[in-house]
Amino acid sequence: MGMIDPYEVLETNNMIERENLDVRTVTMGISLMDCCDPDLDALNMKIYDKIVSTARNLIPVAEEISLEYGIPIVNKRVSITPIGIVGASACRSPEDFVTIAHTLEKAAQKIGINFIGGYSALVAKGMTRSDRMLIDSIPEALGSTERVCASVGVATTKIGINMDAVRLMGDIIKKTAQRTADRDSIGCTKLVVFCNPPDDNPFMAGAFHGVTETDAVINVGVSGPGVVKTAVSRARDGDFETLCETIKKTSFKVTRVGQLVAKEASRRLGVPFGIVDLSLAPTPAVGDSIAEILQEMGLEMVGAPGTTAALAILNDQVKKGGIMASSYVGGLSGAFIPVSEDSSMAEAVTAGALTLEKLEAMTCVCSVGLDMIAVPGNTAPETLAGIIADEMAIGMINQKTTAVRIIPVIGKDIGDRAEFGGLLGASPIMPVNRFSCGGFVNRGGRIPAPIHSFKN
Amino acid sequence: MNRTIVTLVGKDMVGIIAKVCTYFAENNINILDIAQTTVQDFINMMMIVDTSKTDKSFSQMTEELDKIGDKICCTIKAQHEEIFNMMHRV
């Protein structure tokens, strides 16, 4: 291996110091299957002990790696087996499930992480009694905790869409918003509805440790919208070939850092390496934005005609560069387009450039879906369910992950602004189509699997 | 061999490199390579050092380099070589 070149050192350190290159998250997935117990107190105790003993060193190790390589690691998190499964034999009521949420909060606090994901149920075909109780407990669970993240898988390409669950989630989102009405309905920022959810997603709020996974695993999410933006700005006068090559090469470099951190964390923690998630994840910090990349590509504002094509290029080139940079790629691996978490997206909404309908179109060509979207507090639960159904259909038909994280901000309407704080950011309230879909979403039952899922 | 890349950026003045090199000598850290450019009054230096024989932990070393940096008005950063190899070599 050749000697390191000073210019290469300078390039790497410029990316870190000036362009917000970091590792967005080191997430430890922990299986709670061996905690199952018919006694609720025993179950809670086992869950606490398992999480605390397994992830005890997560933060010190991540900090050590960060120091030695000079690369910031922004978030350290834990994902767990969906609690709808883990709590099945012990919980007799939604209130019983809430005790587990409190245990997760305590465990997260103990090991010093800001989010723990997996207060989840996978109900694409049907809900068990346990899954139904967990879903019913979500408003209280999220209302009485800060760190717990919930997700519900209501559809897959292989199975179809569970419309009973979709309709129910309209109510649950509304109730969660009401339960946290005093804080701009922040509970809904920690609640994701999925189609085709991955088992190894390291990103919150939708992370859970799937049942296909081993006892514990390290998954890493890279970042780097700022680095990509700077690279794209250098290719301003280039044609599409130049633009694509620029994004691809940058993505390779960014992902290599994720691969290094993932392997090191895995080795030092004695936990197997799972995957690197290539997703470009924005934050509200200036320069750390997906919208700014799209604008750098030549759009006056994100939402303008051409936005979907620009996002498709970005998403595809990030994957092409990232795939070779990591031995295992997984999770969501695409570009995130949250509104409140990306200050330039929120600006585009304020300017009238970006609408809910355009965002829906954009979700066809990227991960994940309608993300961190604040809508009027008086939006009907049926309408929320209709929005979810549309997004699930996009995921089901296109064989990709889609998700909805929508916040009906109680007491606020068009022209108001929701403030969630920190990485969750802020957003203007977006208008929602006012025509009813009640007759459709209230039919009940399931939408069958699409024809192209029958491959046997 | 445990190769660490040390970068120093700041306003040039007499004895900058001497200070850093003295620290490495005192702590049994061997210098393998030095590259340096000075543009106008600013110095940009990169050293490759071997930290395998020092008794200092990595965090002690970075803390002490920070202190030296403060004294000579420079930013000194130490990083394991691997991050650069990973990013720039296939």
Side-chain angles (χ1 to χ4, degrees), chain A residues 8 12-13 17 68 256, chain B residues 77 79-80 86 88-89:
Chain A
E8 293 169 341
T12 302
N13 286 343
E17 284 154 23
E68 290 178 20
R256 291 295 278 174
Chain B
K77 195 168 169 173
Q79 293 156 282
H80 277 317
M86 277 297 276
H88 300 284
R89 302 279 183 278

Side-chain angles (χ1 to χ4, degrees), chain A residues 115 142 145-146 148-150 186-192 205 405:
Chain A
F115 284 123
L142 297 184
T145 58
E146 280 174 22
V148 176
C149 295
I186 196 167
C188 297
T189 66
K190 291 172 278 174
L191 174 54
V192 185
R405 186 160 53 142

Side-chain angles (χ1 to χ4, degrees), chain B residues 16 19 42-43 51 60 62 65 68 89-90:
Chain B
I16 284 186
K19 281 254 175 21
F42 286 88
I43 178 168
T51 52
Q60 270 176 317
T62 53
L65 285 173
I68 295 171
R89 302 279 183 278
V90 176

Side-chain angles (χ1 to χ4, degrees), chain A residues 20-332:
Chain A
N20 295 319
L21 173 65
D22 52 36
V23 167
R24 196 46 53 90
T25 182
V26 173
T27 302
M28 184 186 280
I30 302 174
S31 169
L32 299 183
M33 292 301 258
D34 56 357
C35 298
C36 293
D37 195 296
D39 180 75
L40 185 60
D41 292 335
L43 171 67
N44 273 306
M45 208 153 68
K46 285 184 188 175
I47 289 176
Y48 181 86
D49 290 344
K50 178 86 189 268
I51 294 169
V52 171
S53 62
T54 314
R56 189 174 63 239
N57 292 326
L58 177 61
I59 289 197
V61 163
E63 282 172 357
E64 205 175 270
I65 293 171
S66 177
L67 179 84
E68 290 178 20
Y69 294 99
I71 178 89
I73 299 175
V74 183
N75 297 305
K76 300 90 182 170
R77 291 163 172 175
V78 165
S79 64
I80 48 167
T81 311
I83 292 298
I85 301 168
V86 180
S89 54
C91 296
R92 309 275 179 275
S93 66
E95 292 72 32
D96 286 353
F97 271 106
V98 173
T99 67
I100 302 179
H102 293 163
T103 298
L104 297 176
E105 178 83 0
K106 264 185 270 167
Q109 210 166 358
K110 175 74 180 171
I111 53 178
I113 56 171
N114 61 351
F115 284 123
I116 182 164
Y119 197 76
S120 308
L122 300 173
V123 297
K125 197 161 192 182
M127 278 178 268
T128 62
R129 211 169 61 89
S130 167
D131 290 330
R132 175 63 202 245
M133 287 189 292
L134 177 120
I135 293 172
D136 283 334
S137 79
I138 286 175
E140 183 54 30
L142 297 184
S144 56
T145 58
E146 280 174 22
R147 296 169 174 81
V148 176
C149 295
S151 56
V152 180
V154 299
T156 73
T157 297
K158 279 303 274 181
I159 295 169
I161 305 176
N162 181 346
M163 284 302 292
D164 288 328
V166 168
R167 177 63 190 84
L168 177 61
M169 288 315 294
D171 289 332
I172 295 297
I173 289 171
K174 200 67 193 268
K175 284 180 189 160
T176 305
Q178 281 154 351
R179 177 64 179 77
T180 49
D182 57 328
R183 286 167 287 155
D184 275 352
S185 302
I186 196 167
C188 297
T189 66
K190 291 172 278 174
L191 174 54
V192 185
V193 186
F194 269 119
C195 175
N196 294 324
D199 278 358
D200 51 11
N201 166 21
F203 284 103
M204 298 296 167
F208 63 83
H209 184 75
V211 292
T212 57
E213 299 279 325
T214 181
D215 283 314
V217 74
I218 288 292
N219 297 322
V220 163
V222 304
S223 86
V227 182
V228 175
K229 186 196 160 195
T230 308
V232 169
S233 75
R234 280 197 292 264
R236 188 171 284 157
D237 301 323
D239 62 3
F240 283 106
E241 182 183 10
T242 313
L243 175 67
C244 291
E245 287 298 300
T246 303
I247 299 172
K248 197 162 71 179
K249 284 177 188 160
T250 309
S251 167
F252 176 83
K253 290 177 181 171
V254 168
T255 308
R256 291 295 278 174
V257 177
Q259 168 82 6
L260 171 67
V261 168
K263 294 291 279 184
E264 255 329 281
S266 157
R267 188 179 66 77
R268 294 183 194 197
L269 288 161
V271 169
F273 160 51
I275 55 96
V276 170
D277 187 319
L278 309 177
S279 297
L280 286 179
T283 69
V286 173
D288 208 15
S289 157
I290 300 298
E292 285 174 32
I293 299 175
L294 302 179
Q295 286 162 195
E296 203 61 56
M297 284 163 81
L299 303 170
E300 184 183 356
M301 269 237 161
V302 66
T307 298
T308 309
L311 183 59
I313 292 173
L314 177 65
N315 205 54
D316 191 50
Q317 297 305 323
V318 162
K319 283 183 203 166
K320 285 173 176 164
I323 284 281
M324 192 177 150
S326 172
S327 46
Y328 292 99
V329 171
L332 296 165

Side-chain angles (χ1 to χ4, degrees), chain A residues 1-13 15-17 21 67-71 252-254 256-257 259-260 264 268 324-325, chain B residues 3-7 9 32-33 35-37 44 46 48 58-60 62 75 77-90:
Chain A
M1 191 167 291
M3 201 59 119
I4 284 296
D5 184 307
Y7 290 100
E8 293 169 341
V9 171
L10 195 66
E11 184 190 350
T12 302
N13 286 343
M15 284 182 181
I16 296 168
E17 284 154 23
L21 173 65
L67 179 84
E68 290 178 20
Y69 294 99
I71 178 89
F252 176 83
K253 290 177 181 171
V254 168
R256 291 295 278 174
V257 177
Q259 168 82 6
L260 171 67
E264 255 329 281
R268 294 183 194 197
M324 192 177 150
Chain B
R3 282 154 49 127
T4 297
I5 308 288
V6 177
T7 47
V9 183
L32 305 169
D33 191 20
Q36 181 205 322
T37 50
N44 202 322
M46 183 192 92
I48 303 176
F58 203 91
S59 62
Q60 270 176 317
T62 53
T75 310
K77 195 168 169 173
Q79 293 156 282
H80 277 317
E81 182 195 39
E82 224 181 324
I83 187 168
F84 305 106
N85 282 333
M86 277 297 276
M87 192 182 266
H88 300 284
R89 302 279 183 278
V90 176

